[in-house]
Amino acid sequence: MTGAQIVQLVVFLLLFVAVAVMGFMASRWRRADDLEHLDEWGLGGRRFGSWVTWFLLGGDLYTAYTFVAIPALLFSSGALGFYAVPYTIIAFPLVMLPLLRLWSVSRVHGYVTPADFVRGRYDSPLLALAIAVTGIVATMPYIALQLAGLEAVLRTIGLNGSGFWGHAPLFVAFVVLAAYTYQSGLRAPALIAVVKDVLIYIVILVAIIYLPIKLGGFGAIIDAGAAKLSQPSPTTGQPAGSTLLTANNQLQYATLALGSALALFLYPHSVTGVLSSSSRATIRRNMTALPAYSFLLALLALLGYVAIAAGTKPIVNGSTGRPDSNTIVPALFAGQFPAWFAGVAFAAIGVGALVPAAIMSIAAANLWTRNIYKEFLRRDATPRDEARQAKLASLVVKVGAVLFIVVVDPQFSVDLQLIGGVIILQTLPAVAIALYTRWFHRWALLAGWAVGLIWGMVMLYGIPNPANGKQHFGGSALALGKLDLFGWTPFDGSKVQIYVGAVALIGNLVVAALVTLALRAAGTREGADRTRGEDYHATRVPESTTPEAVSSV
C-alpha cells in the first residue's frame, strides 16, 4: 500500500466510522414510543416530512449505481450508458399519481408493503406471496450492486486480496451495515442520507469543474472517448462502443429507459421511502423536485469519458486476475485528486452504497414479515413479533446479497440492477395497473407473473458474458435474432438488441389478458376487494397525516 493509499484509507475510515456512529444514534432521533413495531422500525413511524423524504428518496434512488455502474458503462460501451438520464427524468411524472394513490390506500388500511395492497385488492394470499417473493429476489442483486460499489473503493485503496480475503473488507462493512440497520431501522439511512448527499454534491461539483479544466475541456474529453471506443475489442474484434447510438442499440436504449422508469418505483425500497412520508403533499413536492438529481446523474455519467481522456485503467481484481470496470471512477479520483480529497470521494461512494443497501434490506424484511411470516407462518404475530422478525430478515437479505456478488460476476455491475429490473417489472400488472383498474383476474395476474418471470430468467440465462468467458447471465440485452417463440424466430438473424425486461413484461401482459378473458367467459369467481370504497380514491383523501382523519372521509 502506497503513502497516498494510506492517506485515502485514513480519510475514508474516519468518515465511514462517523457515519456508522450516526447510524447507531439514529434510534434516538425522532424517538418512537416503541421501536419494536413494524411501522416504527420499517417505516420510521410514517412521519418523515419534505426534507427528510427528499434525502431518503434521493439516497434510495441515487446510489453506487450512479457513482460506479453508469460511468463504468460509458467507459466501456459509450452512449448506451446515458439511458439512465432519460429514465430518471420520465420516472417521476410517470409514477407520481400512482404513488399518491398507493400512499392513500396504504395509510387508510395500514399497509406496509406493495404485497399488502395486492392482498387487499384481490383477496389473494397466493398472489400477494408471489409479489413479496419477487420483491425480495429483485432486491438482492440491487443490494449486491451497492456492495460492488463499496468493494470497488476498497480495491482502489489497496485492499485487493485474492480468494476469501479479497472480500474480507466487504464482509466487515456488511457487519457494520447490518448492526446499525438492526438497531435503528429506517431512521438510520434517513439520517445518514443527509451526510451522503452533502458529500456527493461536494465531490461532483469539484469533479465536473476541476477535471475538465485539467484535461482540456469536454470537447477534448468526448473526442478521446470516441477514439478509444472506436478501437476493435480484443475479444470480439468489433468496436467496443460509440459516443453515438448505433442502429443495433437504439431499441435497447429506448426499452432500457422506459423499462427502468416503470421498474423504479415498483422496487420495495422505493415504496418504503414513499410510505414513510407524512402526507401526500410531501410526496408531490418530492416528485417535483427529485428530477434535479437527474442533472447530477448526467454529469456523473460523463466521468466515464473523463476517465478515458485521463488514461485511467481499471484496477485488476485480486481474486479473478481481470480488470474490474467498477473501479474506473475510484481509480480516476485516485489518479487525479490529492490523496485526502480522493479519500473524501471514496467515502461519498461508500456511504452512497450503504444508505440504499440499508433501505433495500429493510424493505425486503418488511415483505418477508408481513406477507410470508404473518400470512402463512404465524397469523397471531404481535407487532413486537413482526418487528423482531423483520430485523432478523434484514440480516438474511444482506447475507444473500453478499453471496450474490461473490458468486455472480456480470460484465458490468449495472447488469445487477438491470437483472433486478427484469424481475421486479413482472409485478407491474398486479401493483401499478391494479391501482386504476381491477379488470385483470387474480388468477390471470398470477399466470402472467409466472410466464413473465420464467421467460425473463430463461432469456437472461442465455445471454453470454464475453468479458469473463461465462455463457450465462452476462447482461440484459437480447439480440432480436435470438428471440425464440416456441420454435418461431420472427427476427431471425437480427442483431438489433432489446431489454429483456420489456420482452418479459409484454409476455406477462398478453398472458394475463388472455387468461382473464378465458376465466371471465367461464364465469370464475373473483375475490373480494377490501380496498374499495370512498377512501380509496387518492384525489379525495385529505392531506392530514393521521390515518383516523383519512379514513373519516
Side-chain angles (χ1 to χ4, degrees):
M1 184 176 290
T2 65
Q5 287 177 322
I6 292 174
V7 173
Q8 295 163 7
L9 180 60
V10 170
V11 174
F12 172 82
L13 288 177
L14 288 174
L15 290 171
F16 190 88
V17 169
V19 165
V21 170
M22 288 182 63
F24 286 110
M25 294 179 61
S27 60
R28 302 180 183 180
W29 174 58
R30 298 193 174 194
R31 182 186 291 273
D33 294 333
D34 184 11
L35 259 180
E36 296 294 316
H37 193 290
L38 198 58
D39 259 24
E40 292 292 345
W41 185 84
L43 289 180
R46 303 179 191 254
R47 293 194 298 269
F48 292 154
S50 296
W51 280 107
V52 176
T53 301
W54 160 269
F55 287 113
L56 182 64
L57 285 176
D60 203 356
L61 305 177
Y62 296 88
T63 67
Y65 160 86
T66 310
F67 244 125
V68 172
I70 295 301
L73 187 57
L74 261 82
F75 177 88
S76 303
S77 300
L80 182 65
F82 277 115
Y83 85 90
V85 178
Y87 115 61
T88 55
I89 291 173
I90 66 176
F92 299 105
L94 190 66
V95 303
M96 184 174 73
L97 293 180
L99 286 179
L100 289 173
R101 279 179 172 260
L102 183 60
W103 181 91
S104 297
V105 70
S106 297
R107 179 58 64 98
V108 169
H109 296 284
Y111 296 156
V112 175
T113 70
D116 282 348
F117 164 72
V118 172
R119 175 70 170 88
R121 187 73 160 131
Y122 289 99
D123 190 26
S124 174
L126 188 59
L127 181 58
L129 173 65
I131 300 303
V133 171
T134 305
I136 294 171
V137 173
T139 300
M140 293 284 192
Y142 216 157
I143 299 177
L145 170 57
Q146 312 314 314
L147 299 181
L150 179 57
E151 192 169 47
V153 167
L154 298 174
R155 188 167 286 139
T156 305
I157 292 175
L159 304 177
N160 189 23
S162 60
F164 172 84
W165 294 109
H167 296 290
L170 179 63
F171 298 152
V172 173
F174 153 77
V175 170
V176 174
L177 168 66
Y180 69 65
T181 303
Y182 185 94
Q183 175 175 316
S184 303
L186 194 63
R187 285 173 171 79
L191 183 59
I192 295 172
V194 179
V195 178
K196 169 245 184 190
D197 277 9
V198 170
L199 287 173
I200 285 180
Y201 273 107
I202 291 173
V203 172
I204 292 175
L205 289 175
V206 171
I208 64 171
I209 295 173
Y210 172 73
L211 293 178
I213 292 175
K214 184 176 181 180
L215 297 172
F218 276 111
I221 288 171
I222 299 297
D223 289 342
K228 185 258 186 183
L229 291 169
S230 64
Q231 297 175 3
S233 167
T235 55
T236 65
Q238 300 295 320
S242 170
T243 53
L244 296 175
L245 294 174
T246 67
N248 287 339
N249 63 17
Q250 290 174 3
L251 179 62
Q252 179 191 3
Y253 183 93
T255 53
L256 265 177
L258 180 58
S260 298
L262 292 174
L264 185 60
F265 281 95
L266 290 171
Y267 279 107
H269 59 278
S270 302
V271 175
T272 295
V274 169
L275 296 188
S276 68
S277 304
S278 60
S279 68
R280 288 172 54 227
T282 296
I283 300 172
R284 280 201 301 269
R285 283 192 289 268
N286 276 275
M287 291 299 105
T288 302
L290 277 169
Y293 273 101
S294 301
F295 176 68
L296 296 180
L297 179 57
L299 297 175
L300 272 172
L302 285 171
L303 292 179
Y305 290 156
V306 173
I308 293 175
T312 304
K313 303 296 182 184
I315 306 297
V316 174
N317 187 324
S319 297
T320 65
R322 294 191 304 272
D324 181 2
S325 63
N326 297 329
T327 61
I328 284 299
V329 169
L332 172 68
F333 290 163
Q336 300 296 319
F337 288 146
W340 68 269
F341 191 77
V344 174
F346 294 161
I349 299 174
V351 176
L354 291 184
V355 169
I359 303 171
M360 292 169 191
S361 65
I362 289 169
N366 290 344
L367 285 168
W368 159 262
T369 302
R370 272 298 183 94
N371 308 113
I372 300 177
Y373 174 74
K374 187 170 184 177
E375 181 73 49
F376 295 99
L377 302 179
R378 191 175 176 186
R379 289 182 175 271
D380 61 345
T382 65
R384 183 175 293 267
D385 293 331
E386 287 184 1
R388 290 176 176 173
Q389 187 66 207
K391 290 179 178 181
L392 293 173
S394 72
L395 300 180
V396 174
V397 169
K398 294 184 187 72
V399 171
V402 171
L403 293 176
F404 198 103
I405 194 174
V406 171
V407 174
V408 178
D409 182 24
Q411 183 175 2
F412 304 115
S413 61
V414 70
D415 286 323
L416 292 169
Q417 189 261 355
L418 297 178
I419 289 171
V422 173
I423 298 171
I424 201 65
L425 267 175
Q426 307 319 310
T427 67
L428 185 142
V431 177
I433 294 178
L435 285 165
Y436 289 93
T437 178
R438 200 165 174 267
W439 182 81
F440 286 109
H441 194 283
R442 55 180 176 169
W443 290 109
L445 287 171
L446 197 59
W449 165 84
V451 168
L453 197 60
I454 294 172
W455 194 22
M457 289 300 100
V458 169
M459 287 186 286
L460 287 172
Y461 181 80
I463 296 176
N465 184 343
N468 59 19
K470 293 184 178 180
Q471 298 302 310
H472 310 293
F473 294 108
S476 60
L478 176 73
L480 288 179
K482 295 183 178 180
L483 183 60
D484 189 342
L485 302 176
F486 303 104
W488 176 46
T489 53
F491 308 100
D492 191 22
S494 175
K495 295 182 179 180
V496 174
Q497 294 181 316
I498 189 172
Y499 177 44
V500 166
V503 179
L505 179 60
I506 291 172
N508 182 337
L509 290 169
V510 169
V511 170
L514 293 176
V515 174
T516 294
L517 292 173
L519 291 174
R520 291 193 186 285
T524 305
R525 187 185 71 85
E526 297 191 47
D529 182 0
R530 290 182 289 176
T531 68
R532 292 195 66 83
E534 59 185 3
D535 59 346
Y536 174 71
H537 299 286
T539 54
R540 293 161 55 186
V541 177
E543 300 296 340
S544 169
T545 61
T546 62
E548 293 80 9
V550 174
S551 60
S552 65
V553 176

